[in-house]
Amino acid sequence: MSGDKINLVKETLLFVLTQLTAKDRLCLIVYDNRVESVFELTYVTEESRSFLESKINSVTTRGCTNLCGGLLEGMRAVTSRTGVMADVASVLLLTDGLANVGISSTQGILRAMIFGEKRKRRRRRRVKRRRKIIWSIYGTLLPKKQKKKRKTKKKKKEEPQTVSPTFPDTVYTFGYGSDHNANM
């Protein structure tokens, strides 16, 4: 992502910053060849606004796009937050959708969202719940050979679960540029 795209992303982030109150927290993760947190979850107070604005304006392009790595790091930031838990917590993924480092297929990214990293697979009850909910929503998008077969006592087909409006791992994606991959 370079040129007009990165400038539009910065404008978007600065606009989001103007809409947040002192009760809200913001975290910025950049992803290219590396995935890095520009700043951890920070309350958006009057004192912190100038710091957050300067950090947003300092973001530059550096290389490729590790979209999946950035997304997973954003999900980690939301699920591992401490302190007062708000009813609404979201990941805003701002991207050109041209993933070319790490997991780069849509189905691979969905699998990573569902199962997470293998070494952290059974770490928390919350992560287990996230997998179950995401699987019920996105499992039909995966190829048939990858679908998880569930054993049920009844032969009747189970209804898919719905996501609670307070589910903390809501991911919203925003594509930038006329060449962005809308399927991502």
Side-chain angles (χ1 to χ4, degrees):
M1 183 182 294
S2 62
D4 288 339
K5 292 179 190 179
I6 194 72
N7 292 330
L8 287 172
V9 167
K10 288 181 188 182
E11 283 181 42
T12 303
L13 290 170
L14 292 172
F15 174 75
V16 166
L17 190 59
T18 65
Q19 303 303 303
L20 299 176
T21 66
K23 294 179 184 177
D24 299 316
R25 290 187 278 180
L26 182 67
C27 172
L28 179 60
I29 295 164
V30 294
Y31 52 96
D32 47 42
N33 300 340
R34 301 180 309 261
V35 176
E36 298 175 341
S37 177
V38 176
F39 52 86
E40 293 296 325
L41 279 172
T42 305
Y43 281 100
V44 183
T45 61
E46 290 306 316
E47 297 81 31
S48 68
R49 280 187 193 277
S50 60
F51 166 77
L52 298 174
E53 284 178 17
S54 68
K55 289 294 191 178
I56 290 169
N57 285 320
S58 71
V59 172
T60 59
T61 58
R62 296 187 301 201
C64 299
T65 304
N66 184 354
L67 189 143
C68 185
L71 173 61
L72 293 177
E73 185 63 20
M75 291 174 72
R76 183 212 52 81
V78 169
T79 57
S80 65
R81 68 192 189 281
T82 59
V84 178
M85 299 291 194
D87 288 337
V88 178
S90 302
V91 173
L92 306 179
L93 181 66
L94 310 177
T95 181
D96 60 4
L98 303 174
N100 52 18
V101 171
I103 300 170
S104 58
S105 70
T106 303
Q107 288 156 342
I109 293 170
L110 287 173
R111 274 190 226 109
M113 288 174 68
I114 295 166
F115 299 112
E117 297 175 68
K118 290 180 183 178
R119 65 181 180 275
K120 298 178 183 177
R121 191 172 273 186
R122 299 191 192 279
R123 199 164 157 186
R124 290 188 206 141
R125 206 178 287 173
R126 186 179 215 174
V127 173
K128 204 172 191 180
R129 179 174 169 243
R130 177 184 74 195
R131 285 189 203 120
K132 189 174 182 182
I133 292 171
I134 292 174
W135 181 263
S136 67
I137 295 168
Y138 295 110
T140 57
L141 297 176
L142 297 174
K144 290 195 185 274
K145 65 181 181 179
Q146 297 294 330
K147 282 189 179 179
K148 186 177 179 181
K149 294 185 180 182
R150 297 177 186 250
K151 294 181 183 179
T152 59
K153 293 179 182 178
K154 297 179 182 180
K155 292 184 180 179
K156 191 170 95 173
K157 195 173 186 179
E158 288 183 21
E159 291 295 316
Q161 295 177 353
T162 58
V163 176
S164 160
T166 59
F167 182 61
D169 292 319
T170 305
V171 176
Y172 298 98
T173 58
F174 301 88
Y176 290 84
S178 59
D179 63 338
H180 79 275
N181 182 353
N183 293 328
M184 280 290 173

